Amino acid sequence: MKKNKVAFWIATVFIVLWEGLMPLGTLLFAPQYINEGTKPLGYPDYFAYALIICKLLGVIAIAVPQVPTKLKEWAYAGLTFNLIFAFISHACVDKNAAFMMMPILVLGILAVSYFYQAKIARLSNKKTAGTGAYHQTSVA
């Protein structure tokens, strides 16, 4: 179980830093660069702000152990769609291989986080099965 938690937290911390703190840092400390990644792809200026808010909410949902499992599932799905559409946008607009591969790499790390979160939840449910105790699935 310990190995699973370590793998989960390594992948999840990377996602929190990449998808949460980096955009938040840009918003707080370098707002002039907010739409540097979205404007060349043809998205309107407000889209970058919506993206930052959604990413922050998503990483909070996957990183906080007390968040209900269903909400975590939605957060993983939202971050997955974000990364898939980032890949598609770069593939269609700028065709830069490095820009196209970065979302795929982050998606792979997100998949590791999701896989281990689900594995920890399954193992945790097996431990509490038969005890009659209520157990909320978390990865604390």
Short mmCIF file of all heavy atoms in Angstrom, two decimals, residues 63-97:
data_model
loop_
_atom_site.label_atom_id
_atom_site.label_comp_id
_atom_site.label_asym_id
_atom_site.label_seq_id
_atom_site.Cartn_x
_atom_site.Cartn_y
_atom_site.Cartn_z
N ALA A 63 -6.11 16.51 -5.30
CA ALA A 63 -5.05 16.49 -4.28
C ALA A 63 -5.57 16.46 -2.85
O ALA A 63 -4.88 15.99 -1.95
CB ALA A 63 -4.14 17.70 -4.46
N VAL A 64 -6.78 16.93 -2.62
CA VAL A 64 -7.32 16.98 -1.26
C VAL A 64 -8.01 15.64 -0.96
O VAL A 64 -8.99 15.29 -1.63
CB VAL A 64 -8.29 18.16 -1.09
CG1 VAL A 64 -8.95 18.13 0.27
CG2 VAL A 64 -7.56 19.49 -1.30
N PRO A 65 -7.52 14.90 0.02
CA PRO A 65 -8.06 13.57 0.30
C PRO A 65 -9.55 13.54 0.67
O PRO A 65 -10.23 12.56 0.38
CB PRO A 65 -7.22 13.08 1.48
CG PRO A 65 -5.96 13.85 1.38
CD PRO A 65 -6.34 15.19 0.83
N GLN A 66 -10.08 14.59 1.28
CA GLN A 66 -11.46 14.58 1.74
C GLN A 66 -12.48 14.83 0.63
O GLN A 66 -13.68 14.72 0.87
CB GLN A 66 -11.67 15.63 2.84
CG GLN A 66 -10.93 15.33 4.12
CD GLN A 66 -9.46 15.68 4.07
OE1 GLN A 66 -8.99 16.34 3.16
NE2 GLN A 66 -8.72 15.23 5.06
N VAL A 67 -12.04 15.13 -0.56
CA VAL A 67 -12.97 15.37 -1.67
C VAL A 67 -13.62 14.05 -2.06
O VAL A 67 -12.94 13.02 -2.20
CB VAL A 67 -12.22 15.99 -2.87
CG1 VAL A 67 -13.11 16.08 -4.10
CG2 VAL A 67 -11.69 17.37 -2.51
N PRO A 68 -14.95 14.05 -2.23
CA PRO A 68 -15.64 12.80 -2.60
C PRO A 68 -15.13 12.21 -3.91
O PRO A 68 -14.71 12.93 -4.82
CB PRO A 68 -17.10 13.25 -2.74
CG PRO A 68 -17.20 14.50 -1.95
CD PRO A 68 -15.86 15.16 -2.04
N THR A 69 -15.21 10.90 -4.00
CA THR A 69 -14.68 10.17 -5.15
C THR A 69 -15.31 10.63 -6.46
O THR A 69 -14.60 10.76 -7.46
CB THR A 69 -14.90 8.66 -4.96
OG1 THR A 69 -14.31 8.27 -3.72
CG2 THR A 69 -14.27 7.87 -6.07
N LYS A 70 -16.61 10.85 -6.49
CA LYS A 70 -17.28 11.28 -7.73
C LYS A 70 -16.71 12.60 -8.23
O LYS A 70 -16.51 12.79 -9.42
CB LYS A 70 -18.79 11.42 -7.51
CG LYS A 70 -19.52 10.13 -7.49
CD LYS A 70 -19.64 9.58 -8.89
CE LYS A 70 -20.53 8.36 -8.84
NZ LYS A 70 -20.35 7.51 -9.99
N LEU A 71 -16.46 13.53 -7.32
CA LEU A 71 -15.90 14.82 -7.70
C LEU A 71 -14.47 14.65 -8.22
O LEU A 71 -14.06 15.32 -9.18
CB LEU A 71 -15.95 15.79 -6.52
CG LEU A 71 -15.65 17.25 -6.83
CD1 LEU A 71 -16.56 17.79 -7.92
CD2 LEU A 71 -15.82 18.08 -5.56
N LYS A 72 -13.72 13.75 -7.61
CA LYS A 72 -12.37 13.45 -8.10
C LYS A 72 -12.43 12.92 -9.53
O LYS A 72 -11.62 13.29 -10.39
CB LYS A 72 -11.66 12.43 -7.21
CG LYS A 72 -11.17 13.00 -5.90
CD LYS A 72 -10.42 11.92 -5.13
CE LYS A 72 -10.01 12.39 -3.77
NZ LYS A 72 -9.00 13.43 -3.79
N GLU A 73 -13.39 12.04 -9.79
CA GLU A 73 -13.56 11.48 -11.14
C GLU A 73 -13.79 12.60 -12.16
O GLU A 73 -13.22 12.60 -13.24
CB GLU A 73 -14.73 10.49 -11.17
CG GLU A 73 -14.50 9.24 -10.37
CD GLU A 73 -13.62 8.22 -11.08
OE1 GLU A 73 -13.57 8.24 -12.33
OE2 GLU A 73 -12.98 7.43 -10.39
N TRP A 74 -14.67 13.54 -11.81
CA TRP A 74 -14.95 14.67 -12.71
C TRP A 74 -13.70 15.52 -12.91
O TRP A 74 -13.43 16.01 -14.01
CB TRP A 74 -16.09 15.53 -12.15
CG TRP A 74 -17.43 14.94 -12.45
CD1 TRP A 74 -18.14 14.11 -11.67
CD2 TRP A 74 -18.19 15.14 -13.64
NE1 TRP A 74 -19.33 13.78 -12.28
CE2 TRP A 74 -19.38 14.40 -13.50
CE3 TRP A 74 -17.99 15.87 -14.80
CZ2 TRP A 74 -20.36 14.38 -14.48
CZ3 TRP A 74 -18.99 15.85 -15.78
CH2 TRP A 74 -20.14 15.10 -15.61
N ALA A 75 -12.93 15.72 -11.86
CA ALA A 75 -11.71 16.52 -11.97
C ALA A 75 -10.70 15.83 -12.90
O ALA A 75 -10.09 16.48 -13.75
CB ALA A 75 -11.11 16.74 -10.58
N TYR A 76 -10.51 14.53 -12.72
CA TYR A 76 -9.61 13.81 -13.62
C TYR A 76 -10.11 13.90 -15.06
O TYR A 76 -9.30 14.09 -15.99
CB TYR A 76 -9.49 12.34 -13.20
CG TYR A 76 -8.49 12.08 -12.10
CD1 TYR A 76 -8.91 11.71 -10.82
CD2 TYR A 76 -7.12 12.20 -12.32
CE1 TYR A 76 -7.99 11.47 -9.81
CE2 TYR A 76 -6.20 11.96 -11.32
CZ TYR A 76 -6.65 11.60 -10.06
OH TYR A 76 -5.73 11.36 -9.07
N ALA A 77 -11.41 13.76 -15.27
CA ALA A 77 -11.96 13.85 -16.62
C ALA A 77 -11.73 15.24 -17.21
O ALA A 77 -11.31 15.36 -18.37
CB ALA A 77 -13.46 13.53 -16.60
N GLY A 78 -11.98 16.27 -16.43
CA GLY A 78 -11.79 17.64 -16.93
C GLY A 78 -10.34 17.91 -17.30
O GLY A 78 -10.05 18.50 -18.36
N LEU A 79 -9.41 17.50 -16.44
CA LEU A 79 -7.99 17.70 -16.75
C LEU A 79 -7.58 16.87 -17.97
O LEU A 79 -6.77 17.31 -18.79
CB LEU A 79 -7.13 17.35 -15.54
CG LEU A 79 -7.24 18.33 -14.37
CD1 LEU A 79 -6.57 17.77 -13.12
CD2 LEU A 79 -6.66 19.68 -14.72
N THR A 80 -8.16 15.68 -18.11
CA THR A 80 -7.88 14.85 -19.28
C THR A 80 -8.34 15.52 -20.55
O THR A 80 -7.59 15.61 -21.54
CB THR A 80 -8.55 13.47 -19.12
OG1 THR A 80 -8.00 12.82 -17.97
CG2 THR A 80 -8.33 12.60 -20.35
N PHE A 81 -9.57 16.03 -20.56
CA PHE A 81 -10.08 16.73 -21.74
C PHE A 81 -9.22 17.95 -22.06
O PHE A 81 -8.91 18.22 -23.23
CB PHE A 81 -11.53 17.16 -21.55
CG PHE A 81 -12.50 16.01 -21.51
CD1 PHE A 81 -13.50 15.97 -20.57
CD2 PHE A 81 -12.41 14.97 -22.43
CE1 PHE A 81 -14.40 14.93 -20.52
CE2 PHE A 81 -13.31 13.92 -22.39
CZ PHE A 81 -14.30 13.89 -21.43
N ASN A 82 -8.82 18.69 -21.04
CA ASN A 82 -7.97 19.85 -21.24
C ASN A 82 -6.68 19.46 -21.96
O ASN A 82 -6.27 20.12 -22.92
CB ASN A 82 -7.66 20.50 -19.88
CG ASN A 82 -6.57 21.53 -19.97
OD1 ASN A 82 -6.66 22.48 -20.73
ND2 ASN A 82 -5.51 21.32 -19.20
N LEU A 83 -6.04 18.40 -21.52
CA LEU A 83 -4.78 17.99 -22.11
C LEU A 83 -4.95 17.43 -23.52
O LEU A 83 -4.14 17.68 -24.41
CB LEU A 83 -4.08 16.98 -21.19
CG LEU A 83 -3.63 17.58 -19.86
CD1 LEU A 83 -3.28 16.50 -18.86
CD2 LEU A 83 -2.45 18.54 -20.07
N ILE A 84 -6.02 16.69 -23.74
CA ILE A 84 -6.29 16.17 -25.09
C ILE A 84 -6.54 17.32 -26.06
O ILE A 84 -6.00 17.35 -27.17
CB ILE A 84 -7.49 15.19 -25.07
CG1 ILE A 84 -7.08 13.89 -24.36
CG2 ILE A 84 -7.98 14.90 -26.48
CD1 ILE A 84 -8.24 12.96 -24.07
N PHE A 85 -7.35 18.30 -25.64
CA PHE A 85 -7.64 19.43 -26.52
C PHE A 85 -6.42 20.33 -26.71
O PHE A 85 -6.27 20.96 -27.76
CB PHE A 85 -8.85 20.22 -26.02
CG PHE A 85 -10.14 19.45 -26.19
CD1 PHE A 85 -11.00 19.29 -25.13
CD2 PHE A 85 -10.47 18.88 -27.40
CE1 PHE A 85 -12.17 18.58 -25.28
CE2 PHE A 85 -11.64 18.17 -27.57
CZ PHE A 85 -12.50 18.01 -26.50
N ALA A 86 -5.52 20.39 -25.73
CA ALA A 86 -4.27 21.13 -25.90
C ALA A 86 -3.44 20.47 -27.01
O ALA A 86 -2.89 21.15 -27.88
CB ALA A 86 -3.50 21.19 -24.60
N PHE A 87 -3.37 19.15 -26.97
CA PHE A 87 -2.65 18.42 -28.01
C PHE A 87 -3.27 18.69 -29.38
O PHE A 87 -2.57 19.01 -30.35
CB PHE A 87 -2.65 16.91 -27.73
CG PHE A 87 -2.17 16.11 -28.89
CD1 PHE A 87 -0.82 15.98 -29.16
CD2 PHE A 87 -3.07 15.48 -29.73
CE1 PHE A 87 -0.37 15.25 -30.25
CE2 PHE A 87 -2.64 14.75 -30.82
CZ PHE A 87 -1.28 14.63 -31.09
N ILE A 88 -4.58 18.58 -29.46
CA ILE A 88 -5.27 18.79 -30.75
C ILE A 88 -5.05 20.22 -31.24
O ILE A 88 -4.79 20.43 -32.43
CB ILE A 88 -6.77 18.46 -30.61
CG1 ILE A 88 -6.96 16.95 -30.40
CG2 ILE A 88 -7.54 18.93 -31.85
CD1 ILE A 88 -8.36 16.55 -30.01
N SER A 89 -5.15 21.20 -30.35
CA SER A 89 -4.95 22.59 -30.75
C SER A 89 -3.56 22.80 -31.33
O SER A 89 -3.41 23.43 -32.38
CB SER A 89 -5.16 23.53 -29.56
OG SER A 89 -6.50 23.51 -29.14
N HIS A 90 -2.54 22.28 -30.65
CA HIS A 90 -1.18 22.44 -31.15
C HIS A 90 -0.97 21.67 -32.45
O HIS A 90 -0.27 22.14 -33.35
CB HIS A 90 -0.16 22.00 -30.10
CG HIS A 90 -0.04 22.97 -28.97
ND1 HIS A 90 0.44 24.25 -29.14
CD2 HIS A 90 -0.35 22.86 -27.66
CE1 HIS A 90 0.43 24.87 -27.97
NE2 HIS A 90 -0.04 24.05 -27.06
N ALA A 91 -1.58 20.50 -32.57
CA ALA A 91 -1.43 19.70 -33.79
C ALA A 91 -2.07 20.41 -34.99
O ALA A 91 -1.53 20.36 -36.10
CB ALA A 91 -2.06 18.32 -33.60
N CYS A 92 -3.18 21.10 -34.76
CA CYS A 92 -3.89 21.75 -35.86
C CYS A 92 -3.34 23.14 -36.19
O CYS A 92 -3.38 23.55 -37.34
CB CYS A 92 -5.38 21.88 -35.53
SG CYS A 92 -6.22 20.30 -35.47
N VAL A 93 -2.83 23.86 -35.20
CA VAL A 93 -2.45 25.25 -35.43
C VAL A 93 -0.96 25.42 -35.66
O VAL A 93 -0.54 25.87 -36.72
CB VAL A 93 -2.93 26.15 -34.26
CG1 VAL A 93 -2.46 27.58 -34.45
CG2 VAL A 93 -4.44 26.10 -34.15
N ASP A 94 -0.13 25.10 -34.69
CA ASP A 94 1.29 25.42 -34.86
C ASP A 94 2.14 24.23 -35.27
O ASP A 94 3.27 24.39 -35.70
CB ASP A 94 1.87 26.09 -33.61
CG ASP A 94 1.72 25.27 -32.35
OD1 ASP A 94 1.56 24.05 -32.44
OD2 ASP A 94 1.78 25.88 -31.27
N LYS A 95 1.62 23.03 -35.16
CA LYS A 95 2.30 21.80 -35.59
C LYS A 95 3.72 21.65 -35.04
O LYS A 95 4.56 21.00 -35.63
CB LYS A 95 2.30 21.73 -37.12
CG LYS A 95 0.91 21.63 -37.71
CD LYS A 95 0.94 21.75 -39.20
CE LYS A 95 -0.42 21.70 -39.82
NZ LYS A 95 -1.41 22.59 -39.35
N ASN A 96 3.97 22.23 -33.86
CA ASN A 96 5.25 22.13 -33.19
C ASN A 96 5.25 20.84 -32.37
O ASN A 96 4.44 20.68 -31.45
CB ASN A 96 5.48 23.35 -32.30
CG ASN A 96 6.81 23.36 -31.61
OD1 ASN A 96 7.31 22.32 -31.18
ND2 ASN A 96 7.39 24.53 -31.50
N ALA A 97 6.17 19.93 -32.68
CA ALA A 97 6.19 18.62 -32.03
C ALA A 97 6.36 18.72 -30.51
O ALA A 97 5.72 17.98 -29.76
CB ALA A 97 7.28 17.75 -32.63
#
